[in-house]
Amino acid sequence: MTKGEPDSQHICSNIMATFGASAQSVYSVTPKERDPYQYQVGFGNRFASEAIPGTLPYAQNNPQKAKYDLYTEGLNGTPFATPRKENQSCWLYRIRPSVAHQGFTSLPDNPDLESCFLPLNPKVHTSPTQLAWYPFNIPSDDEKLDFVSGLKTIAGNGDPTLREGLAVHIYAATESMGKKAFCNSDGDFLILPQQGRLDIQTELGRLMVRPGELVVIQRGIKYKVGLPDGPSRGYVLEIFGSHFELPELGPLGTHGLANVRDFESPVASFDIDQSPWEIIYKMTGKQFVCKQEHTPFDVVAWWGNYVPYKYAMEKFAFVGSIEKDHIDPSIFCVLTAKSKTPGVPLADFLIFGGRWDVATGTFRPPYYHRNCATEMMGLIYGDYGGRSDEFAPGGFSYENGFCPHGVSYDEFKKATEAELVPGRVHEGTLAFMFETGMQVTLTDYAMKRSGKLHEHEPKMWDNLKGQFVNHIDQINADLKAAGLPSLGTQF
């Protein structure tokens, strides 16, 4: 040590004198009273999770012999050669591999479950007008229906064999799935409970999902659904061919709408259970049962980005006009899925909840319009006014592409005469929209068997008269002042 140079002990003591604290683990969401599970945060992350520390192999994916004699299993949600930024996969280290099963047996068709939405299918229908459904019934306790057997299809587009399309389902269940799991080979499920929480156990961990939250479970992942609050009802958007992603923010910049940190994925959690189980597979809309002598929920550790996630919709960062006019409703988009046509979404998921409306000199409700997209709406809770259909939680509405729509005359009159001051709208309400650039057909169940169908009442717009003709004198005076002929004058 040269003269004047501080010794290492002195340096260390100076460092310790300024030290604050270091994180002891990565950030995670801790359990709560009505959600006992822990979550990792982020969207599209390549997570790593171990229920037993040290289980993941060091610096490789497929060791000759995995720790604790676990089996290595790969799960791919995209083709191997998909570009890296879009590639989705996961490595699982489990007690028994999925191939340890006793074969597949076809199950009877569920007549209320549909997968082919092409017009050549006689079980689907087209409607040019607005349609709506009163809240769908929750079965009585005597009807033993779990999440899978309680699925009923309302509408859709395409077909899972084409690897492009979507399906809209409702579910109404009275019992948990017990020793039964579900694996959807057709598409990704976006699930929205409307009544009752869903306790979802997946291969990659557990999620508790309440009304007001969404959960996405991707194609090919096995899971079971429990009903901790008793009978449950909700909505499902299924997409064939692509996966959900966050919409681009454009000039909004880096943050806004659904922020990346607010999405939550499970941590590894496993059971030790060598008893009989059934796995229900859905493939091209048909169902098969696969029996095995062990639980499918035996993954001790995993890493990857093909992982279920949930999102609490009250966290959505709404944006809007702070001066005048409307911004397009795409500002309410939480998640989107691409179609094969550039720039055309296969599906958008939008929400409408409590927020400020401050635009001046503006017709504030949704303006009258004809949209090339098909719009389908549901209500989780609250009241979404201005509609004629007694739109209530658990109900649904449908407007096909270019079907004209907008608020009732009463809402129009109120909006054109009200004093425009800053105010809250849709307080205590959560409505959502499934929107698609595709043409959508409706199922036999929706049109013939649900018992809840009704058309929108067109009389809600009868009083939207041609008020223009009440101003003929003023119009002619304005035309004369501009040096133009009056109305009705022939050249």
Side-chain angles (χ1 to χ4, degrees):
M1 184 176 71
T2 60
K3 186 177 180 181
E5 193 176 85
D7 61 65
S8 59
Q9 184 176 356
H10 182 67
I11 293 172
C12 185
S13 64
N14 282 344
I15 291 174
M16 293 306 295
T18 60
F19 176 73
S22 291
Q24 300 302 302
S25 63
V26 297
Y27 178 81
S28 63
V29 178
T30 55
K32 306 176 184 65
E33 181 180 353
R34 290 181 59 79
D35 186 347
Y37 306 132
Q38 187 175 358
Y39 303 97
Q40 306 176 85
V41 300
F43 188 92
N45 302 29
R46 287 194 176 272
F47 295 109
S49 187
E50 302 173 308
I52 300 176
T55 301
L56 287 173
Y58 176 73
Q60 67 176 126
N61 297 316
N62 194 16
Q64 181 181 20
K65 191 176 180 67
K67 195 168 185 179
Y68 308 121
D69 283 330
L70 295 171
Y71 294 89
T72 303
E73 184 173 284
L75 178 63
N76 285 78
T78 54
F80 292 123
T82 297
R84 180 174 289 208
K85 68 178 181 179
E86 300 168 358
N87 204 300
Q88 298 187 32
S89 64
C90 202
W91 285 98
L92 316 177
Y93 302 90
R94 60 192 316 152
I95 296 172
R96 294 190 69 181
S98 297
V99 294
H101 63 76
Q102 299 171 343
F104 294 82
T105 303
S106 179
L107 291 173
D109 284 344
N110 175 350
D112 295 333
L113 195 63
E114 187 57 68
S115 67
C116 178
F117 302 98
L118 307 178
L120 54 81
N121 180 359
K123 296 187 291 183
V124 298
H125 313 275
T126 300
S127 173
T129 190
Q130 296 171 304
L131 298 174
W133 290 262
Y134 297 118
F136 296 96
N137 288 337
I138 296 177
S140 67
D141 290 338
D142 294 336
E143 296 181 76
K144 301 299 183 183
L145 294 175
D146 60 27
F147 175 81
V148 177
S149 58
L151 285 169
K152 300 179 186 298
T153 312
I154 304 299
N157 166 267
D159 182 286
T161 63
L162 302 175
R163 299 311 309 138
E164 180 160 79
L166 59 91
V168 175
H169 315 280
I170 58 102
Y171 72 86
T174 60
E175 64 178 8
S176 300
M177 289 178 65
K179 293 202 171 186
K180 184 189 298 181
F182 181 55
C183 182
N184 185 4
S185 298
D186 289 338
D188 294 8
F189 264 19
L190 186 159
I191 305 169
L192 299 166
Q194 184 274 316
Q195 176 176 312
R197 290 174 298 163
L198 301 181
D199 187 353
I200 301 176
Q201 184 176 15
T202 78
E203 295 176 272
L204 292 97
R206 298 169 180 264
L207 307 98
M208 184 71 75
V209 187
R210 58 171 170 78
E213 292 182 320
L214 66 84
V215 62
V216 171
I217 304 178
Q218 295 89 337
R219 176 185 177 213
I221 294 176
K222 287 173 274 189
Y223 62 99
K224 63 177 252 187
V225 178
L227 308 179
D229 301 327
S232 179
R233 173 178 62 194
Y235 308 88
V236 178
L237 173 59
E238 179 181 16
I239 55 171
F240 315 135
S242 64
H243 299 297
F244 289 106
E245 55 190 67
L246 295 176
E248 298 295 342
L249 292 179
L252 289 179
T254 307
H255 308 293
L257 308 186
N259 286 311
V260 169
R261 202 190 79 174
D262 293 329
F263 288 83
E264 302 174 2
S265 290
V267 297
S269 172
F270 70 95
D271 295 337
I272 301 175
D273 181 356
Q274 303 293 318
S275 63
W277 276 76
E278 292 185 352
I279 316 298
I280 307 299
Y281 283 81
K282 183 169 83 73
M283 183 175 295
T284 68
K286 299 186 181 300
Q287 294 188 23
F288 303 84
V289 62
C290 173
K291 296 185 178 182
Q292 59 186 52
E293 296 301 315
H294 57 98
T295 176
F297 308 116
D298 63 355
V299 176
V300 179
W302 58 264
W303 86 270
N305 64 349
Y306 197 55
V307 185
Y309 54 86
K310 73 169 189 169
Y311 174 74
M313 288 176 277
E314 70 270 10
K315 296 178 180 179
F316 190 77
F318 286 104
V319 300
S321 173
I322 58 173
E323 175 57 22
K324 60 186 176 185
D325 283 353
H326 285 263
I327 301 175
D328 288 335
S330 48
I331 60 172
F332 300 111
C333 186
V334 179
L335 293 168
T336 186
K338 293 176 180 175
S339 74
K340 295 176 181 177
T341 304
V344 178
L346 171 63
D348 287 332
F349 172 68
L350 297 80
I351 62 171
F352 311 96
R355 61 191 186 277
W356 284 96
D357 200 345
V358 300
T360 60
T362 297
F363 181 75
R364 289 183 176 179
Y367 48 85
Y368 297 111
H369 66 291
R370 294 173 295 153
N371 189 353
C372 63
T374 298
E375 300 179 0
M376 296 167 281
M377 287 192 67
L379 188 59
I380 304 297
Y381 54 77
D383 176 59
Y384 197 77
R387 305 176 69 89
S388 67
D389 54 9
E390 300 178 34
F391 194 48
F396 199 66
S397 72
Y398 162 93
E399 290 156 348
N400 214 334
F402 294 111
C403 177
H405 52 284
V407 297
S408 66
Y409 169 76
D410 291 339
E411 288 294 315
F412 170 83
K413 190 172 188 301
K414 186 192 309 180
T416 54
E417 296 175 354
E419 179 185 1
L420 294 182
V421 295
R424 299 284 295 176
V425 296
H426 300 315
E427 201 71 88
T429 291
L430 181 60
F432 69 86
M433 180 183 291
F434 300 147
E435 185 174 81
T436 175
M438 311 298 179
Q439 288 283 359
V440 167
T441 57
L442 297 150
T443 64
D444 266 354
Y445 170 77
M447 299 297 285
K448 299 177 180 180
R449 294 197 298 274
S450 71
K452 301 296 180 179
L453 173 66
H454 63 104
E455 292 189 11
H456 280 261
E457 178 50 72
K459 291 181 179 179
M460 67 186 285
W461 300 296
D462 279 357
N463 287 327
L464 293 170
K465 306 295 186 183
Q467 305 294 342
F468 177 88
V469 297
N470 297 331
H471 302 275
I472 296 296
D473 291 343
Q474 182 61 52
I475 293 166
N476 282 333
D478 292 343
L479 290 170
K480 183 178 180 180
L484 297 171
S486 60
L487 294 179
T489 302
Q490 293 184 352
F491 289 93

